[in-house]
Amino acid sequence: MTDRQRSLLLVAMPWLAMAGLLLLWELACIVFDVPEILAPKPSRIFEVMVQRWDILLKFCLETLWTTAIGFVLAIGFGVLLGLAIGASPFIYSGLYPLLIAFNAVPKVAIVPILMIWLGVGALPAIITAFVISFFPIVVNVATGLATIEPEMRDVMRSLGASQWEILTKVGVPRAMPYLFASLKVAVTLAFIGSVISETVGGNRGIGFLMLSAGARNDSATTFAGLFAIAIMGILMYAACALVERRMTRWAFRGEIVG
Amino acid sequence: MTPFMPASSDTPLVELRKVSLAYGSGPARMLALEDATLDIAKGEFIAVVGPSGCGKSTLMKLVTGLLPPSGGEVRVHGQPVKGPIRGVGMAFQAPTLMPWRTTRDNILLPLEVVEPHKRRFRANKAEYIERVEKLLASVGLGGFGDKFPWQLSGGMQQRSSLCRALVHEPEILMLDEPFGALDAFTREELWSVMQALWLEKRFTAVLVTHDLREAVYLADTVYVMSRRPGRIVKVSKIELPRPRTLETTFTAEFVDIVHDLRERIHMEHA
C-alpha cells in the first residue's frame, strides 16, 4: 500500500464503517423480516428523510437554535466560573463540591420543574442545554489554570507581575486548549439537553417531532429524527474541532490532529 | 585581583545575614537552609554549588524574595526584601517558554510586565522588537524570532530563555541550572555565550549549578554548600583572567580549583 492509498483509506474509513453498519442493519431487517414499526430499514428511513425534508429541517433548526443559545451561555458562564475556580483556591474549595453535586443530578429531573416555572417553549430547552453542558467547560478551564508550571509562575512573579497579569498572560492562553477540548464534549451534551427537554415536554424541536411520530406509530419518521440528531451532532462536533485546531495550533505543535 | 568588581565597593548589592529557611511546620518541619551569610557585589558573578537537595534553589528564591526567610535577613540595595523584588531576570533548567507565543513574543514578555517598559510598551514596540532581534543575534539565534519555541532545539530554547531573562536589562540575573538539561557540547558553547553577555552588560548574576567546571568557568566567587540543611562551607574566589575559554578549562590552575571544590563536596557525601 502506498502512502497515498494509506491516507485515502484513513479518510474513507469512517464512511466505510458507517456504510457497513447500515448495510448490516438493512440485511438483518430483510433476513429476519422485522416489522417496520419495530425497526424500519435504513433505506426506508432515508426515503422518509427525503420525502419529509422540509418538516425535518424546520424542527431541526428549532433544536439547533435552542442548542446553540444554551451552548453559548454555557461557554460564557463556564469560562468565567472555570477561571474563578482555577484562580482562587477559596472559590475552588467552596464551589467544587456543589458543582459535583449539581452535575450528579439527572438533568431529566429538572425539566418538569423548568416547565412549571417557565411553561413550554424554547426557554426550558435552552436552559436544559445550558445546565447540562457547562460542567465540562468549568472543569477543563479550571484544570488548565491550576496546572500552570510553578517555574512559569516564578518567572512572572520575579518580573513583578500581578496575579491579574499572571492570569491573563499565562493562565488564559494556557487554558485555551483545555477549553476547546471541552467544547467538543459540551456541544454534544447541549444537544442531549435540548432534545431531552423537547421530549419530556415541549411543543417544538426534533425531540417533539420524534415523540409525536412515535405516538402515531410512525417508526420511520421517529428514526429519521434520530438520524437527523446524529447528523447535527457530528456537524457541531466537527465545527468545534475545526475551531479548536485553528485557535490552538501551538497545542498540537503544528501537527494535524483529527 | 578582581578586576571586574567595582573599585569602591560600598554596600554590596545583595546581603544575606544568617538566613535560614524551613519548609513545613511541626514534626514535618524540614530545615533547607541554615545560617547562610554572603554578600554579592554589584556586577559580581557568583555560583553556588553543592550536593543535590542542599537548598541551592532555595537560596536563589530567597535572594529574589520569592520566598520569605524563616530567620535572618535578606537585603538588596541595603533594603530588607519583603516580597518579590523587581528588576530580576530568571532562567531555569526548563526553558519555560510559552508555547503559544513565538520566540520573539516570548522574549518581549518582560517588557510587557516590568515598569517602566510596560507603560510605553505599545508606543515603543518597534524599538523593543529591534532590541529583541539584537539580543537574539548575540546568542546566535538571529532570524529565529518568528519560530515557536517547540520548533527550536533544546539548546536554542535555552538561549531564548536567557534572552528573556536579560531583555529588560535586570540588575540581577538568577540562573537555576540553566544548562543542566543540555548535552555537553551545547552546554560548553552556552557558557561562552553567557560569559560574553555578562562581559558586555555587567549584570549581577547568581548561578546555581552542580557542574563544578561550569561554576569555575563563569563565576568570580564560588560558594560550596553542605548537605541538607544547607550551610555555606567553602568560599572560593576564582581569579582566572577573562574572557575564559574552553582552553582555560584544561589549564592546571583551573583543574586545581575544580579539584579542590570536588574534594570539599566529597566530604559532604562521606
Side-chain angles (χ1 to χ4, degrees):
Chain A
M1 201 162 31
T2 64
D3 279 356
R4 190 173 153 66
Q5 280 171 324
R6 219 182 118 79
S7 56
L8 268 176
L9 191 62
L10 271 176
V11 175
M13 271 318 278
W15 302 99
L16 291 177
M18 192 155 52
L21 190 68
L22 290 175
L23 201 65
L24 206 66
W25 180 347
E26 184 88 25
L27 286 175
C29 285
I30 295 167
V31 171
F32 299 109
D33 196 20
V34 183
E36 189 183 305
I37 190 159
L38 282 186
K41 292 195 284 275
S43 58
R44 170 80 185 121
I45 296 169
F46 286 119
E47 192 186 326
V48 171
M49 286 179 85
V50 172
Q51 275 171 2
R52 317 186 72 173
W53 68 271
D54 48 341
I55 301 172
L56 276 169
L57 189 66
K58 173 173 169 289
F59 282 91
C60 272
L61 284 179
E62 282 172 356
T63 301
L64 201 61
W65 183 229
T66 50
T67 305
I69 296 177
F71 181 52
V72 168
L73 286 176
I75 295 175
F77 180 74
V79 167
L80 286 180
L81 194 60
L83 288 178
I85 286 180
S88 157
F90 296 104
I91 300 181
Y92 173 89
S93 75
L95 288 188
Y96 208 67
L98 272 179
L99 269 175
I100 292 182
F102 183 75
N103 192 47
V105 172
K107 301 304 175 294
V108 187
I110 68 162
V111 176
I113 302 173
L114 290 175
M115 300 275 165
I116 295 170
W117 290 345
L118 306 165
V120 287
L123 209 51
I126 290 173
I127 293 178
T128 316
F130 162 71
V131 296
I132 207 170
S133 63
F134 82 83
F135 186 75
I137 301 178
V138 172
V139 172
N140 268 34
V141 171
T143 308
L145 278 194
T147 52
I148 295 175
E149 297 84 348
E151 288 89 359
M152 203 70 219
R153 218 179 264 281
D154 283 349
V155 166
M156 293 298 283
R157 285 180 63 208
S158 70
L159 292 172
S162 61
Q163 285 300 319
W164 178 252
E165 279 172 319
I166 296 179
L167 184 68
T168 53
K169 291 201 185 290
V170 186
V172 172
R174 199 178 182 294
M176 282 301 118
Y178 291 83
L179 168 66
F180 286 111
S182 76
L183 291 190
K184 291 187 291 193
V185 180
V187 77
T188 350
L189 285 176
F191 254 110
I192 294 174
S194 49
V195 174
I196 283 178
S197 172
E198 289 161 1
T199 317
V200 171
N203 54 3
R204 59 199 300 292
I206 198 81
F208 173 68
L209 177 85
M210 284 170 63
L211 196 71
S212 38
R216 291 195 315 272
N217 290 338
D218 183 355
S219 283
T221 307
T222 312
F223 273 87
L226 208 61
F227 278 26
I229 293 175
I231 291 168
M232 283 194 293
I234 291 175
L235 289 179
M236 292 287 261
Y237 183 97
C240 285
L242 193 72
V243 172
E244 177 185 20
R245 252 191 333 200
R246 278 288 157 85
M247 301 294 288
T248 55
R249 201 170 70 90
W250 61 267
F252 296 120
R253 304 290 188 258
E255 282 171 47
I256 301 301
V257 178
Chain B
M1 195 187 83
T2 48
F4 301 112
M5 300 247 283
S8 60
S9 187
D10 28 348
T11 49
L13 180 63
V14 180
E15 301 162 81
L16 269 69
R17 293 284 168 267
K18 293 182 99 45
V19 171
S20 60
L21 187 102
Y23 290 105
S25 56
R29 189 178 149 94
M30 194 180 61
L31 201 56
L33 193 70
E34 199 178 15
D35 279 346
T37 297
L38 63 94
D39 289 344
I40 309 170
K42 187 165 170 47
E44 190 183 2
F45 200 128
I46 74 151
V48 181
V49 297
S52 64
C54 71
K56 298 188 295 269
S57 302
T58 304
L59 189 74
M60 211 183 77
K61 287 189 174 175
L62 284 167
V63 172
T64 49
L66 286 175
L67 276 177
S70 313
E73 196 179 38
V74 182
R75 288 168 168 269
V76 174
H77 281 302
Q79 298 294 314
V81 171
K82 294 268 190 277
I85 55 171
R86 285 174 177 268
V88 179
M90 289 186 116
F92 300 90
Q93 180 166 359
T96 60
L97 298 167
M98 300 174 174
W100 55 88
R101 287 174 173 237
T102 60
T103 303
R104 178 184 304 113
D105 288 344
N106 262 295
I107 299 171
L108 281 170
L109 175 79
L111 302 174
E112 293 170 29
V113 174
V114 176
E115 295 289 7
H117 308 290
K118 181 180 169 179
R119 211 173 314 142
R120 46 180 195 232
F121 183 76
R122 273 172 206 280
N124 293 15
K125 191 153 183 201
E127 180 198 318
Y128 285 145
I129 286 177
E130 198 182 320
R131 187 196 286 198
V132 170
E133 295 297 344
K134 253 190 213 152
L135 204 52
L136 276 172
S138 73
V139 300
L141 277 183
F144 282 94
D146 286 322
K147 294 266 188 248
F148 284 92
W150 35 270
Q151 293 170 319
L152 305 180
S153 71
M156 289 157 105
Q157 290 184 26
Q158 206 51 264
R159 287 165 206 249
S160 315
S161 173
L162 285 179
C163 289
R164 183 184 58 188
L166 289 171
V167 71
H168 54 299
E169 292 175 347
E171 212 167 9
I172 307 176
L173 180 67
M174 291 286 159
L175 302 163
D176 190 353
E177 300 187 22
F179 315 120
L182 303 174
D183 65 274
F185 297 111
T186 313
R187 194 183 310 153
E188 286 167 357
E189 200 185 326
L190 284 189
W191 293 351
S192 131
V193 169
M194 187 72 245
Q195 179 177 246
L197 287 169
W198 180 77
L199 286 173
E200 186 198 330
K201 298 178 196 294
R202 286 316 166 90
F203 40 80
T204 306
V206 178
L207 168 72
V208 165
T209 181
H210 49 231
D211 184 337
L212 298 178
R213 291 174 63 238
E214 179 173 302
V216 176
Y217 184 107
L218 285 170
D220 295 319
T221 314
V222 177
Y223 292 85
V224 180
M225 291 184 63
S226 69
R227 269 197 302 185
R228 188 180 292 267
R231 281 167 294 105
I232 294 168
V233 291
K234 183 178 169 72
V235 181
S236 186
K237 291 265 174 210
I238 314 297
E239 310 201 322
L240 299 167
R242 306 246 188 200
R244 298 166 191 163
T245 62
L246 264 190
E247 281 309 309
T248 316
T249 67
F250 298 110
T251 60
E253 223 180 335
F254 188 98
V255 173
D256 281 349
I257 300 171
V258 172
H259 193 241
D260 271 5
L261 293 171
R262 168 83 61 209
E263 294 260 281
R264 187 63 194 80
I265 289 179
H266 266 295
M267 280 166 61
E268 291 304 317
H269 284 286

